[in-house]
Amino acid sequence: MSIIRRHHEQSVPGLNMSSMPDLIFTVLFFFMIVTHMRSVPVKVKYQVPAGTELTKLTRKTAVTYIYIGRPLSETINGDSSRTCIQLNDKYADIASIAPYVRGERAAMTPEDKKIMTVSLKADRNTPMGLITDVKQELRRSAAFRVNYSAVNRQNSFNLKQN
């Protein structure tokens, strides 16, 4: 006589999904805090120069950015090799820097107006004459705190070696 054995399916206990929404919202909150959203799309190509004595900006709400470099994809008046100035999301010329800075200052809070800083994010190959012209316009608009964006020289050497 043969023995017939019946195989009973072993059931796997279900996963407890009650804490899943908490986990998802925690991860979402983490990425919202860590991620830096860029408010202005950069339309110029710039390679940041390297420096040794660098300091970080303390209050980013009081910083106005001016990008200087070659256009990424568009041509300006048929010339794509010309160095351009970008204010917000538009290309601009030297004469429009002063009204732009005045407008940015008017939109700031009174505390930020006192410590307003203009950060120049210029390509390392930008002619110094153009930087000087931008600085002269900033003086005319009473923006005396100017910051030059750069990367740490020690970090830039490490990047080149990797």
Side-chain angles (χ1 to χ4, degrees):
M1 191 178 223
S2 68
I3 300 175
I4 300 174
R5 293 184 185 175
R6 291 190 181 176
H7 294 282
H8 295 287
E9 283 188 35
Q10 294 180 0
S11 62
V12 177
L15 291 175
N16 186 2
M17 300 297 281
S18 63
S19 64
M20 186 62 76
D22 293 338
L23 179 67
I24 290 173
F25 284 119
T26 303
V27 171
L28 178 68
F29 184 70
F30 171 76
F31 284 118
M32 286 174 45
I33 296 296
V34 172
T35 304
H36 176 270
M37 300 299 287
R38 182 175 294 202
S39 60
V40 177
V42 179
K43 294 184 176 183
V44 296
K45 179 174 67 173
Y46 66 95
Q47 186 177 9
V48 181
T52 55
E53 302 298 320
L54 304 178
T55 58
K56 288 194 175 241
L57 293 172
T58 56
R59 202 155 168 191
K60 300 259 181 164
T61 57
V63 178
T64 302
Y65 295 98
I66 297 177
Y67 299 94
I68 303 173
R70 292 201 163 51
L72 283 176
S73 60
E74 303 172 10
T75 59
I76 309 299
N77 297 330
D79 186 11
S80 64
S81 64
R82 191 179 121 208
T83 303
C84 300
I85 300 171
Q86 179 186 344
L87 306 174
N88 281 340
D89 58 346
K90 298 178 194 170
Y91 293 119
D93 57 350
I94 298 289
S96 59
I97 291 176
Y100 167 74
V101 171
R102 285 189 213 110
E104 290 288 315
R105 183 180 290 127
M108 290 183 179
T109 63
E111 299 87 33
D112 287 344
K113 286 180 184 180
K114 294 175 187 174
I115 60 169
M116 179 185 174
T117 304
V118 177
S119 180
L120 293 178
K121 291 194 171 198
D123 184 47
R124 68 173 59 199
N125 297 323
T126 301
M128 198 59 200
L130 181 61
I131 300 289
T132 304
D133 293 343
V134 170
K135 285 174 38 180
Q136 291 295 330
E137 276 301 307
L138 291 173
R139 285 183 190 142
R140 287 188 193 103
S141 63
F144 300 117
R145 297 182 96 186
V146 179
N147 173 30
Y148 298 98
S149 295
V151 294
N152 195 346
R153 179 169 289 173
Q154 191 174 31
N155 292 343
S156 67
F157 287 135
N158 291 341
L159 291 175
K160 289 179 185 177
Q161 291 173 355
N162 291 338

